[in-house]
Each structure stands twice: as C-alpha cells, then as structure tokens.
Amino acid sequence: MRVTVAGAGMVGLSSAYRLAEAGHDVTVVAAAPPRESTSAVAGGVLYPPGHRLDERVVRWTAASLAVFRGQDAPGVRFRRGRVLLAAGAPDPQWLPAVGAARVGDRVEFTTAVVDTPVYLSWLLAGVRALGVRVEYRTLTSLSGLDADVVVNAAGLGAGPLAGDDSMVPVGGQVVHVTDPGVAEFVVDETGPGVTYVIPHGTHVVCGGTEEPGRGDTDPNPGVTADILRRCRELEPRLAEAKVLRSLVGLRPFRREVRLEREGDVVHCYGHGGAGITLAWGCAADVAALVTAG
C-alpha cells in the first residue's frame, strides 16, 4: 500500500522503516528534518519514566531495547546506570523490561544510551535506503494526501491533525557539557522534579525541567544555572566541565499514548518524554495495523 507517515522524529522514522521493510510504498512528510525534532533534544537513556504504566508501555520498552541490541548503529552505547527513587516508592513496572534490579531506594540496570542527533541521521539514511521518500513541508490536515493509509506520528503536531486537544507541550531544558569521563548514567527521581546526568562520550546531557504548557524553545540562563547546580551535586566530576550548549524541547504529552487505527489513519502519538524508549515497539504495532487493513 501507499503509506504517508506524518512526522520525522524517532517515532515517525521508526514506523517508516518498519513499513518499508514490510513492502509498503512509504513517504515521510514532516515540517522539519529529524535533527530539528524534539527527539534530537532528548537525553536518550532508554527506560520509561514514571511508575504507573499500562502493559503496552512495558511491552514497547522491551521491544525497543531488543532492537537497539540488535543494531550496529552509531550513537548507541550500552551503559550501566541507576535511577534513584523516593523513599518508600513502589517498584516501577518497567523493571522486567530492562532487566533491572532494585537495591534499596535505587534501581540499577544496563540499557541503551542514544546520542539522538547522531542516531536520527543514521535512521534517516536507513529509511531512504529502503526507498522511503522524505518531504519537508507543513501539514495542516491528514485528508487529501496521496496515500491509502496515513500514519499520524507528528509529535506535538499530531494532536491538531487528529482534532485531539488532550495533548499538551511539556517543556524540557537540558544542558550539554564536556564529558570528564563519566561512565554511568544517573537519574534522580526523589525531588519535586527529575535530575539526570547522561554521558555520551563526547558530551554529557544534564537535565532537566518539566514545564507543562510551555510554547517556546529559548533556553533560560537561570534554568541553565540551576540544572548545572543540581547535576554537579549528583555527579561531582562535572564541577569543571565546560558548558557547550543549552537546548529546549517540547515533549508531546498525553495521559496515555494513542496508538490505534481510525479508518485510513493510524494514530501514534502522545509519547511525552519516552519517544526514544517506545519508538521501535510502537513502530511494530503501527506496521501491524497498516497491514491488517
């Protein structure tokens, strides 16, 4: 079938890849290249944040992790790390998906850490090698496209395209600093927000913020200073690390991911800050829904 995928972030490109593998004639349409998507700002550590997850999220996480293990892709490293939990917090449901073990008030595990701009460039080349056409233009509607099926994976833009006002932007600011040799990632979920240090070899992603309703992507210098303070307390080796850049992404948050077929449209959006974690698992479901008709 002729399939148009709206969106060229991690979810859109992964879906296009699986659809092309299945033999469909695929076109990706997006407002901007992958390196300008929200996916490119992500910290890139593969696990689903949060504790009350539905079964699909756990399954999608395990499926995505299996894909990353099987790929020889640039920008992907497997690193040991830990997630610090609030005292008395229940075991996260995602523990089995990543093979994690709880030790007191922390969870330890090895998972994929993805340098998303590098990986997205590789994935874009991969879909093109499979014959996928990629067009950069803004869509205002899912109707009128030259396709048998449309996949709505447009991230924050997917809600308006679907007439769904349940999705809101949640701003996330990060700071990139030089890597002094940090070997493990660490995520601190004990505070009112989340603090994380994610090493990528050439740089470390320090974060972050959760700002519901934010509409701009201009970094705030005061927030940058606060992120650096928190991350240096969490990982003292960052004390002398040079600041490279500050970035802001707008996460497409919805109470739950929408992945379903509605007529000739397959909707796949609302991943919030877990797009990298869920993308390959969701892409398999998208391909199944398209093929099933």
Side-chain angles (χ1 to χ4, degrees), residues 1-290:
M1 287 182 284
R2 294 169 303 144
V3 183
T4 294
V5 177
M10 186 66 185
V11 175
L13 289 182
S14 300
S15 297
Y17 194 100
R18 286 292 182 246
L19 289 163
E21 274 190 326
H24 299 294
D25 180 8
V26 182
T27 300
V28 171
V29 180
R35 279 180 169 262
E36 297 177 26
S37 68
T38 297
S39 296
V41 184
V45 61
L46 195 144
Y47 87 98
H51 299 276
R52 294 183 178 179
L53 309 174
D54 64 45
E55 175 277 333
R56 300 176 307 160
V57 169
V58 177
R59 175 170 58 84
W60 290 333
T61 298
S64 294
L65 186 57
V67 171
F68 281 115
R69 288 192 186 280
Q71 290 177 334
D72 182 18
V76 179
R77 297 174 176 86
F78 277 80
R79 290 186 181 271
R80 185 79 176 170
R82 63 194 186 277
V83 175
L84 309 180
L85 306 175
D91 286 353
Q93 289 176 265
W94 47 262
L95 294 186
V98 297
R102 182 162 183 166
V103 181
D105 288 330
R106 69 181 187 273
V107 174
E108 298 182 351
F109 57 105
T110 298
T111 191
V113 175
V114 184
D115 187 343
T116 52
V118 174
Y119 184 80
L120 285 166
S121 294
W122 174 85
L123 186 54
L124 177 63
V127 299
R128 283 178 163 155
L130 289 171
V132 175
R133 294 172 297 279
V134 181
E135 303 174 3
Y136 299 122
R137 55 189 173 90
T138 300
L139 289 176
T140 57
S141 172
L142 296 176
S143 62
L145 295 170
D146 185 22
D148 301 309
V149 180
V150 175
V151 176
N152 181 16
L156 198 56
L161 288 172
D164 181 357
D165 61 3
S166 67
M167 190 163 62
V168 297
V170 175
Q173 182 164 324
V174 298
V175 183
H176 291 192
V177 301
T178 53
D179 190 343
V182 177
E184 298 188 349
F185 69 86
V186 57
V187 181
D188 185 354
E189 296 186 352
T190 64
V194 177
T195 301
Y196 49 86
V197 172
I198 305 172
H200 288 283
T202 57
H203 68 284
V204 176
V205 178
C206 299
T209 63
E210 294 184 5
E211 304 167 72
R214 180 167 180 167
D216 70 276
T217 57
D218 297 324
N220 182 315
V223 173
T224 294
D226 181 63
I227 290 172
L228 289 172
R229 177 191 59 77
R230 287 187 279 130
C231 289
R232 285 167 174 164
E233 290 176 358
L234 196 59
E235 175 48 81
R237 282 177 292 181
L238 297 178
E240 303 301 324
K242 179 183 177 182
V243 175
L244 301 174
R245 65 191 71 86
S246 294
L247 301 168
V248 176
L250 301 179
R251 308 178 185 98
F253 178 79
R254 192 172 184 269
R255 288 184 64 88
E256 62 178 20
V257 175
R258 185 182 184 190
L259 206 172
E260 62 180 351
R261 182 160 180 162
E262 184 180 51
D264 293 331
V265 177
V266 174
H267 294 287
C268 184
Y269 63 84
H271 298 81
I276 306 300
T277 296
L278 306 180
W280 283 108
C282 288
D285 283 10
V286 166
L289 286 171
V290 169

